[in-house]
Structures are given as structure tokens and as C-alpha cells.
Amino acid sequence: MPEKSPPHRVVIVGGGAGGLELAARLGRRYGPQAVTLVDARPLHVWKPSLHEAAAGTMDVQQEGLSYLMLARLNRFTFVLGSMLDVDRQARTLRISAVATPDGEQVVPERMLSYDTLVLAIGSTSHFFGTPGAEQHAVTLDTVEQAERFRLLILQAMVKLNEARRTDPQAKLDLVIVGGGATGVELSVELYEAGHVVSAYGLSHFRPERDMTLTLLEGGPRILGALPERISEAAMARLAEVGVRVHTDCRVSEVAANEVRTADGRSFPASLCMWAAGIRGLPVAARLGLPQNRIGQIEVDARLHTEDPHILAMGDCAAAPWRDGRTVPARAQAAHQQAEYLAELLGARIAGRPEPQKPYVYQDHGSLVSLGQDAGAGSLMGKLTGKGLFVSGTLARLMYMSLHLMHHRAVLGVGRTATLALARLLMRRTQPRVKLH
Ligand SMILES: Cc1cc2nc3c(=O)[nH]c(=O)nc-3n(C[C@H](O)[C@H](O)[C@H](O)COP(=O)(O)OP(=O)(O)OC[C@H]3O[C@@H](n4cnc5c(N)ncnc54)[C@H](O)[C@@H]3O)c2cc1C
């Protein structure tokens, strides 16, 4: 009997919004011999919900989905560890060792072979060379950073509560740099979290009196990449909750206790959150593939890099879009690219001719969360091509449905419904903000 040839091995690095969906789609069809997912973390958390984790309105431990469980459900192989570098000639990648928090090694460094490598490693914050930003500001790129920010805020509120006993001038000044979706969503979430925390025994802390939230944006309006009507709705909501917004305000330096701007102003900052832009991760540069000026890997309209065995998707890839621009770094794009690549790589695994049609980004609109009960956004009409404005609770529900859609793609309908119901019930036994 002739020997069966080994399957084409697709290795996807990065199990985020795009990579996990791709691994799940391919795994369900072609199984664990053909599909491997590598991620630096054991739990998957959908990145667009990190601002809720940072404010404590979402518990990352509850939210996180085990990659090993997802691998079993969706029939792919999961490898825990960070991609350190890639030998493109030998078609192998080096995966970091896994250690306990005390430094004890559990799994050694390993090599992994691939026939096709898909890079889906996301992005990191861009400080644009601003002095002090990397040193003094907190960012929101990973679950660990969101959790660190949550603890810093919680500690600051508890300390302030103590300080207010003796010092009526004591204040908590929070500065958020960047008026994109992350900065805007985080501002409102922090305002709401402050109110909830003060209700749990911090009788001397009154957020509307003791906490200032300042949002600094370099451009002429917040949410500059979205339609103006969404910016206006967001401005109205931020004004309602007392967030001080400064536009045309370029940050020139972040110091330990204040943020300075190019026009000579300074804003006191007990804590500064940097949410002003993204760039590619340093590890991407080690592959020697062409990158754009913010370090994203250049891909063509079929998401191929210059190396025919390496593809890239999501935030880490610079895919051509329109008017010389690249596809925006959004979960929506990562999701669409996962759908596109599932078809393309499915053909590669099955030994069929690959589809030649290019990936075209479809902008279905944008939704911004403006707290637990409000949102704003636009939905693109398929026939008109124009945006339909939505706001309030409806927009917030639609925003939440995006998260559910991601869960559905990796958990299936039944498990997503069970999880949603379980979380709804859990809310009855827990505070609205994580307090420990
Ligand atoms: C607070 C916040 C709110 C957002 N809100 C929205 C929104 O409302 N709508 C929207 O469309 N977009 C939103 N975004 C943007 C969205 O999250 C990203 O565009 C999207 O997650 C990109 O998906 P990705 O798969 O490319 O990367 P990610 O989802 O970032 O996943 C990258 C994965 O790669 C892993 N990884 C990284 N390096 C390595 C390595 N060396 N080895 C192994 N694994 C590695 C990481 O652990 C991670 O799991 C938001 C982002 C933030 C931070």
C-alpha cells in the first residue's frame, strides 16, 4: 500500500481576534495534524474588551478562554510559548521555554516546522519617541497590562479614600493620551468604575469631586477615523460624565506626575494611560521581511509576504486598501482576513489550486462603547453604501454582539449562548467592578 504523504502543516502564530478564528476554521476541517496555533499566553481574551478589564468592569480570569480547550473543541494543535525567531530557509520557528512565575522551567525552548507560516501577532503601542512615555505611562496592549492598570487605579482610589480623611485637597488625576476608540471607551468605563468602587465602602471618596479624567487628542477631533456624528455623540457623553477633552493637543513629554504638551501646557497625572497609536512588534523585524514605517509586515492583496511560505494578517500586517492606505488595524478586519485565509489555506492543505481573488476589506461600520448602557456608531448600508447612525442602548447591544460573534466563531452557538447566560447570572452574585 502506498504511504500516505504527511499533511501540509499550517502554523499560525498569535491566537487573537484573527489568528484564533483562522485556527478554529481550519482545524474543524483539516484537524490537528495540519493546523497548529502558537500563542505566548495560555488564555485567550478578545483584545477589544481590554478597556473593560483595565477599568475592572470585566474580570479577565472569568473572561479568558483556555487555548487547550479551544484546540480540543476545534481540532487544532496548541503550542504555548512566544515565537522568538524564524529560520526561513529551514522553515522552522523557535518557540520560547515556558516557566512558572517563580522562574522554574516547565517546557524547554522548542523548534517547530511549518510548510506555511501565518503571522497574526497583533501590534503594540506606538510612543512616537515621546520622552518619558514608555517609562511613565501605562499601555493597554496585553491582559497583563490591563490587569496592572486595574490594580493601580484600585489602589489609587483606596489611598485617596484614606487621604481624604485628613486632606480635603487630595485628588486623583487620570490622563489618557489618545482620543481614538480605546481612549474614549476607557474614559467612560473609568468614570463608571469610580462610582461603583466608591459605593463599596470608600465613604470618603467621591469620584465627581475627587477624580479628574482628562483626555488629550492631537487631532482636531476625537475618534478622528470615524464619522463626525460618532465623535459628536462621544463628546456629548464624555461631557455628561465630566471627562475633560482637549483636542489639537500634542503631548511632548510624560513625567512622573504630569503630562506636558507641545504648546506649553501641563496636566497633573497621578496615572497616565497611553492609547495614541500602534506599531508592529519588535519580533516581526527579526524575520527580515519588508515592513512599513510603523513596523507592520507588508503583504499583497492576497495577504502574502515576500516569502511564499509566510502570510500575515490582522494588526501585524500592512494590507493594501484604498487611496494608497492600508487596511485599518481593527478586529473587524482581522475577522474578515481569517475568513479569507481559511479558504485560501484550505485549498493549500487539500492540495487544490489556491483561489486567486484578492482580499477586499469591507467596512461594515464602527461601534464605540460609551459605558455599560450606551454606545454610538454607524452601520454601513449594503445598498446605499452610506452609514446609518445608531446610538444609546441599541448601539451598546450591537457592540456587545460583536464580542458574541467572535465567541460563536470559536465556541459554536450552543456554548456561546451558555456562556452568555452564565455570565448574566454571575452578575447577580458579584460586584460590577472587580474589587480584589
Ligand atoms: C482597548 C481596545 C479596544 C479596541 N476596540 C476595538 C473595537 O471596538 N473594534 C475593533 O474593530 N477593534 C478594536 N480594537 C482593535 C482590535 O483589538 C485589534 O485590531 C485586533 O485585536 C487585532 O487582531 P489580531 O488578531 O491582529 O491581534 P490580537 O488580537 O492583538 O492578537 C495577537 C495575539 O498574538 C499573540 N502574540 C503576540 N506576539 C507573539 C509571539 N511572539 N509569539 C506567540 N504569540 C504572540 C498575543 O498573545 C495575542 O494573543 C481595540 C483594541 C484595544 C486595545
Side-chain angles (χ1 to χ4, degrees), residues 243-427:
V243 176
R244 301 167 188 185
V245 180
H246 297 266
T247 51
D248 286 317
C249 181
R250 300 200 72 82
V251 170
S252 57
E253 190 181 351
V254 181
N257 288 311
E258 67 176 16
V259 174
R260 297 174 193 136
T261 62
D263 57 9
R265 283 179 286 171
S266 74
F267 296 87
S270 321
L271 207 54
C272 170
M273 160 65 74
W274 189 270
I278 61 139
R279 67 176 175 85
L281 286 161
V283 68
R286 276 182 237 147
L287 273 71
L289 294 165
Q291 291 176 285
N292 67 4
R293 64 186 167 79
I294 59 163
Q296 291 171 305
I297 297 163
E298 302 219 339
V299 292
D300 63 17
R302 291 172 63 241
L303 306 181
H304 287 56
T305 68
E306 160 190 280
D307 181 330
H309 302 286
I310 305 183
L311 285 76
M313 65 182 295
D315 282 11
C316 74
W321 188 29
R322 60 182 188 214
D323 309 326
R325 286 184 290 160
T326 55
V327 171
R330 293 166 68 176
Q332 193 182 156
H335 162 77
Q336 290 173 16
Q337 291 177 351
E339 267 181 352
Y340 173 83
L341 284 183
E343 204 183 317
L344 190 144
L345 292 172
R348 202 176 270 198
I349 295 170
R352 295 191 306 266
E354 283 175 28
Q356 295 300 308
K357 67 171 195 279
Y359 162 69
V360 181
Y361 173 61
Q362 302 287 340
D363 187 356
H364 295 305
S366 312
L367 289 161
V368 180
S369 160
L370 297 173
Q372 292 297 305
D373 301 316
S378 66
L379 304 176
M380 297 307 273
K382 267 198 175 144
L383 293 177
T384 58
K386 285 189 182 155
L388 170 73
F389 180 71
V390 281
S391 64
T393 311
L394 176 67
R396 172 67 194 173
L397 288 173
M398 285 176 154
Y399 179 89
M400 283 158 66
S401 73
L402 297 177
H403 196 168
L404 289 178
M405 273 158 62
H406 173 67
H407 273 169
R408 194 188 61 183
V410 296
L411 285 176
V413 177
R415 284 190 175 84
T416 301
T418 311
L419 190 67
L421 183 65
R423 287 194 179 147
L424 213 63
L425 293 174
M426 290 285 276
R427 281 182 166 213

Side-chain angles (χ1 to χ4, degrees), residues 14 16-18 39-41 47-48 82-83 120-122 182 314-315 329-332:
D39 202 284
R41 296 176 175 79
K47 196 172 178 182
S82 285
M83 175 183 78
I121 53 178
T182 305
D315 282 11
R330 293 166 68 176
Q332 193 182 156

Side-chain angles (χ1 to χ4, degrees), residues 85-139:
D85 45 43
V86 177
D87 182 338
R88 285 170 47 194
Q89 242 72 50
R91 279 192 240 150
T92 54
L93 56 147
R94 194 158 60 94
I95 310 288
S96 69
V98 179
T100 65
D102 307 329
E104 190 194 334
Q105 188 171 296
V106 182
V107 185
E109 213 174 270
R110 289 138 294 161
M111 302 301 284
L112 204 61
S113 300
Y114 64 86
D115 295 308
T116 298
L117 176 65
V118 182
L119 299 170
I121 53 178
S123 56
T124 188
S125 292
H126 200 337
F127 295 107
F128 304 98
T130 311
E134 195 165 356
Q135 193 185 347
H136 298 296
V138 189
T139 51

Side-chain angles (χ1 to χ4, degrees), residues 34-287:
V35 186
T36 298
L37 176 71
V38 180
D39 202 284
R41 296 176 175 79
L43 293 181
H44 166 76
V45 174
W46 196 54
K47 196 172 178 182
S49 51
L50 283 188
H51 64 281
E52 294 174 56
T57 47
M58 185 195 91
D59 183 342
V60 278
Q61 292 308 325
Q62 263 182 31
E63 177 64 26
L65 297 175
S66 152
Y67 280 115
L68 284 173
M69 179 201 72
L70 293 167
R72 192 178 150 90
L73 279 181
N74 295 290
R75 301 184 54 244
F76 60 80
T77 300
F78 176 65
V79 173
L80 176 63
S82 285
M83 175 183 78
L84 298 174
D85 45 43
V86 177
D87 182 338
R88 285 170 47 194
Q89 242 72 50
R91 279 192 240 150
T92 54
L93 56 147
R94 194 158 60 94
I95 310 288
S96 69
V98 179
T100 65
D102 307 329
E104 190 194 334
Q105 188 171 296
V106 182
V107 185
E109 213 174 270
R110 289 138 294 161
M111 302 301 284
L112 204 61
S113 300
Y114 64 86
D115 295 308
T116 298
L117 176 65
V118 182
L119 299 170
I121 53 178
S123 56
T124 188
S125 292
H126 200 337
F127 295 107
F128 304 98
T130 311
E134 195 165 356
Q135 193 185 347
H136 298 296
V138 189
T139 51
L140 207 46
D141 298 315
T142 63
V143 170
E144 294 79 12
Q145 288 168 356
E147 186 64 1
R148 177 169 165 246
F149 185 79
R150 182 186 74 78
L151 286 171
L152 287 172
I153 289 278
L154 196 58
Q155 283 160 11
M157 287 177 185
V158 173
K159 277 188 193 162
L160 183 65
N161 185 60
E162 288 306 308
R164 290 290 311 191
R165 288 174 198 269
T166 51
D167 177 5
Q169 303 305 320
K171 274 213 169 309
L172 176 58
D173 297 300
L174 303 178
V175 175
I176 297 172
V177 182
T182 305
V184 169
E185 289 177 342
L186 182 66
S187 305
V188 185
E189 210 73 32
L190 283 175
Y191 162 81
E192 292 190 350
H195 278 266
V196 177
V197 172
S198 83
Y200 283 92
L202 301 190
S203 52
H204 300 280
F205 169 52
R206 294 228 305 271
E208 65 285 357
R209 181 196 62 192
D210 307 335
M211 183 168 89
T212 59
L213 264 163
T214 307
L215 181 65
L216 306 178
E217 164 58 40
R221 65 178 171 100
I222 58 166
L223 300 172
L226 305 186
E228 245 177 281
R229 220 165 147 199
I230 306 181
S231 303
E232 285 161 14
M235 278 299 273
R237 175 76 179 136
L238 292 172
E240 192 181 294
V241 300
V243 176
R244 301 167 188 185
V245 180
H246 297 266
T247 51
D248 286 317
C249 181
R250 300 200 72 82
V251 170
S252 57
E253 190 181 351
V254 181
N257 288 311
E258 67 176 16
V259 174
R260 297 174 193 136
T261 62
D263 57 9
R265 283 179 286 171
S266 74
F267 296 87
S270 321
L271 207 54
C272 170
M273 160 65 74
W274 189 270
I278 61 139
R279 67 176 175 85
L281 286 161
V283 68
R286 276 182 237 147
L287 273 71

